[in-house]
Amino acid sequence: LRARGLGWALAPPGSDPQALHADLYGTGAHRRTGDRTRWPHLLWKRRRGDLCTTEVVPEAFTEGESRDSDFQRLRQARAPAIVVDSELLHRGARTP
């Protein structure tokens, strides 16, 4: 298991969703192979009862490139904590 960084993302009320992205990915000899998570992205809500609303595109390991069709495949998390593969396309959702 590798640790890459630790921090928080703050989104004020009424924020637009983030751009669809992968936090990092490997190329060449470091290209992703198999189904093993190399860089887990741990996300959680600070307050009890709050849920993560991060949006992910299932199985979208695209080296950070998004296509129009990826937006139709977005799925929103609804849990107090989630683990996302950093190489997977994802974004912070719009905030109410």
Side-chain angles (χ1 to χ4, degrees):
L1 186 64
R2 301 174 191 190
R4 188 180 62 84
L6 178 65
W8 282 263
L10 303 174
S15 294
D16 288 332
Q18 289 180 330
L20 198 54
H21 66 281
D23 291 326
L24 60 129
Y25 52 87
T27 60
H30 303 287
R31 186 176 305 275
R32 177 184 170 81
T33 58
D35 61 357
R36 184 172 157 252
T37 298
R38 300 188 297 173
W39 293 290
H41 194 72
L42 307 173
L43 306 168
W44 68 93
K45 287 295 187 176
R46 187 177 61 147
R47 285 190 293 246
R48 185 178 300 271
D50 286 355
L51 301 177
C52 292
T53 57
T54 301
E55 297 175 327
V56 300
V57 181
E59 301 177 19
F61 296 99
T62 62
E63 296 181 2
E65 297 288 328
S66 63
R67 300 178 303 270
D68 289 342
S69 61
D70 292 325
F71 291 90
Q72 282 80 43
R73 297 178 52 218
L74 281 170
R75 299 291 179 262
Q76 189 172 52
R78 302 295 295 162
I82 63 173
V83 177
V84 175
D85 189 316
S86 292
E87 295 181 273
L88 181 75
L89 287 179
H90 64 282
R91 71 180 185 179
R94 179 182 313 277
T95 60

